[in-house]
Amino acid sequence: MLSDNYTDLLKYFSIAIEEVVHTMAGFEISASKDPSFFLRDDSPRISGLMLLPSSKNAILSITVSLESASILVSYMTGIPVDELKEEDLYDGVIELVNMIAGRAKSLLIDTTHSFGLTAPFAIYGRDYELVLKKNVSNLSKKYVSGDLEIGFGIFFM
Amino acid sequence: MIKRILIVDDSPIIHNLLRKTLENNGYEVCGDAKNGKEGVELFNTLSPDLVFMDITMPIMDGLEAAKNIKQTSPNARIIMLSAMGDDEIMAQAKEIGIDIFLKKPFDDYKIVSALSKII
Amino acid sequence: MKILSVDDSSIVRKIIRGAAEVLQYDLLEASDGSEALEILKSNAKDIELILLDWNMPGMNGYDFLKKVKSHPDYKKIPVMMVTTESEKENIVKAIQAGASHYMTKPFSIEELIKRILECLGKGES
């Protein structure tokens, strides 16, 4: 089950997201000191989401601006930003959340945390935020590299 | 005037990205090297107008290769490609006369911008 | 000389395309097992390697793998699984069903190129 040992969980998901971005995009991200995982402005953004079924269900999310998504996908594929189509960005963010979940799952294999992987999906829009009711537990963090920002969150249902 | 560019980086993705952006902006990529040693060799045979040099590479790293090139060609134009945590290496690069760095991740705009800084 | 990439993510297929280009292979793409079978019908002779994801909608990777390995014209084509699926029992399942190599995501393009060469019998193992 996704237990209440959040430190463990956040630690391995952090390793997973850093590893995935570094391996696939070739650059490093680090955790921001900013306590909010909301992106810094109101530009259009994409969120990649995956339901992690477990005895305590959770939703994994990563949120990036279109610009950040373009950089990530450009670096993953070697295709220059101006040659990318919007679908490439959605597919890219979806695949990133897919790999992060998969990697975290293997890193957590010897712990008490176990969860399933489901089909990831994305939502896209301008100036939205993922807002939770006060008593919903969550782990959230922002990762940065230069101008790039990735809002990362796990929300327990 | 910069026309012919040599790319020295061990990542095929960076090669692709740089090549496409440079070609889209009217530059010619005259050579691709996978490590510093190849980079120095290609610099000597091709005499490019500019080199994009990655830092972390097998066999010979970018700083070593840049030093090599600057020894034989002090006026060689080199743009170093850096990643997080390369600050010390960047300081050493500045000492041998390299003053333009592109930090990963860089986009097309930053590439063109760096090129415009070269006189 | 062709490689077939079977993955429902267009981005993964684009990444694989980059590797194929470096190796000067043509890449054929399918987003699920059924599409891949269609492509095999007319291209099997030229396809030297299949890169296959495990989790796909419609016909999943495992079922596609079994179909390929039981087909007289396709069974000799080496198959490498390229997938986030990392549970040992599923890796064993895939190997037993005839996959000759297995690579987990995430992967660097350098690693992908190296592994493709191994599968084609042209790399050092």
Side-chain angles (χ1 to χ4, degrees), chain C residues 63-79:
Chain C
D63 292 331
F64 171 77
L65 176 61
K66 285 190 294 181
K67 281 205 153 78
V68 163
K69 288 300 165 178
S70 56
H71 192 295
D73 299 328
Y74 312 154
K75 62 186 184 183
K76 290 227 174 88
I77 307 174
V79 177

Side-chain angles (χ1 to χ4, degrees), chain C residues 1-124:
Chain C
M1 292 190 313
K2 301 190 178 158
I3 293 175
L4 170 60
S5 165
V6 190
D7 196 306
D8 63 336
S9 165
S10 74
I11 288 301
V12 173
R13 300 194 310 263
K14 284 185 160 85
I15 295 170
I16 292 175
R17 176 173 290 279
E21 275 174 9
V22 167
L23 295 170
Q24 297 182 321
Y25 272 74
D26 287 329
L27 187 76
L28 300 172
E29 301 180 34
S31 56
D32 62 41
S34 326
E35 242 185 84
L37 285 173
E38 280 305 308
I39 292 177
L40 277 167
K41 271 197 198 133
S42 28
N43 291 278
K45 287 200 191 76
D46 303 320
I47 294 175
E48 292 187 32
L49 173 65
I50 300 174
L51 298 176
L52 176 61
D53 189 14
W54 182 275
N55 292 309
M56 290 183 295
M59 190 192 302
N60 68 34
Y62 181 65
D63 292 331
F64 171 77
L65 176 61
K66 285 190 294 181
K67 281 205 153 78
V68 163
K69 288 300 165 178
S70 56
H71 192 295
D73 299 328
Y74 312 154
K75 62 186 184 183
K76 290 227 174 88
I77 307 174
V79 177
M80 172 158 73
M81 305 297 297
V82 179
T83 179
T84 55
E85 181 56 65
S86 55
E87 284 189 26
K88 287 210 172 73
E89 40 180 68
N90 287 329
I91 297 181
V92 171
K93 242 174 117 177
I95 304 284
Q96 283 174 345
S100 56
H101 290 76
Y102 199 102
M103 188 168 75
T104 49
K105 300 176 188 175
F107 53 81
S108 69
I109 196 115
E110 293 89 352
E111 202 192 324
L112 175 61
I113 291 172
K114 196 168 136 202
R115 300 299 300 280
I116 291 176
L117 285 172
E118 273 171 29
C119 293
L120 296 170
K122 295 173 185 171
E124 297 137 3

Side-chain angles (χ1 to χ4, degrees), chain A residues 46-65:
Chain A
I46 304 172
S47 294
L49 301 156
M50 182 189 282
L51 171 68
L52 308 177
S54 176
S55 53
K56 200 169 180 190
N57 293 330
I59 289 185
L60 167 66
S61 77
I62 62 170
T63 302
V64 285
S65 65

Side-chain angles (χ1 to χ4, degrees), chain B residues 1-66:
Chain B
M1 213 203 77
I2 300 189
K3 184 72 190 158
R4 295 166 59 250
I5 301 181
L6 169 65
I7 302 173
V8 187
D9 193 306
D10 61 340
S11 160
I13 296 276
I14 297 285
H15 273 278
N16 249 14
L17 265 182
L18 274 174
R19 175 181 280 275
K20 287 182 190 175
T21 301
L22 293 170
E23 285 172 1
N24 287 347
N25 282 280
Y27 297 93
E28 178 202 321
V29 175
C30 64
D32 294 280
K34 292 194 295 289
N35 59 60
K37 182 161 174 277
E38 255 182 58
V40 173
E41 285 164 11
L42 282 179
F43 181 87
N44 292 330
T45 45
L46 297 172
S47 298
D49 302 317
L50 172 72
V51 183
F52 279 98
M53 181 83 77
D54 187 23
I55 291 181
T56 312
M57 289 182 290
I59 302 178
M60 185 194 289
D61 67 34
L63 183 62
E64 198 60 47

Side-chain angles (χ1 to χ4, degrees), chain A residues 27 71 74-76 80 83 147, chain B residues 13 17 20 24 105-106 110:
Chain A
F27 57 84
I71 304 235
S74 177
Y75 272 72
M76 282 163 70
E83 288 176 30
D147 298 330
Chain B
I13 296 276
L17 265 182
K20 287 182 190 175
N24 287 347
F106 43 80
K110 292 202 176 97

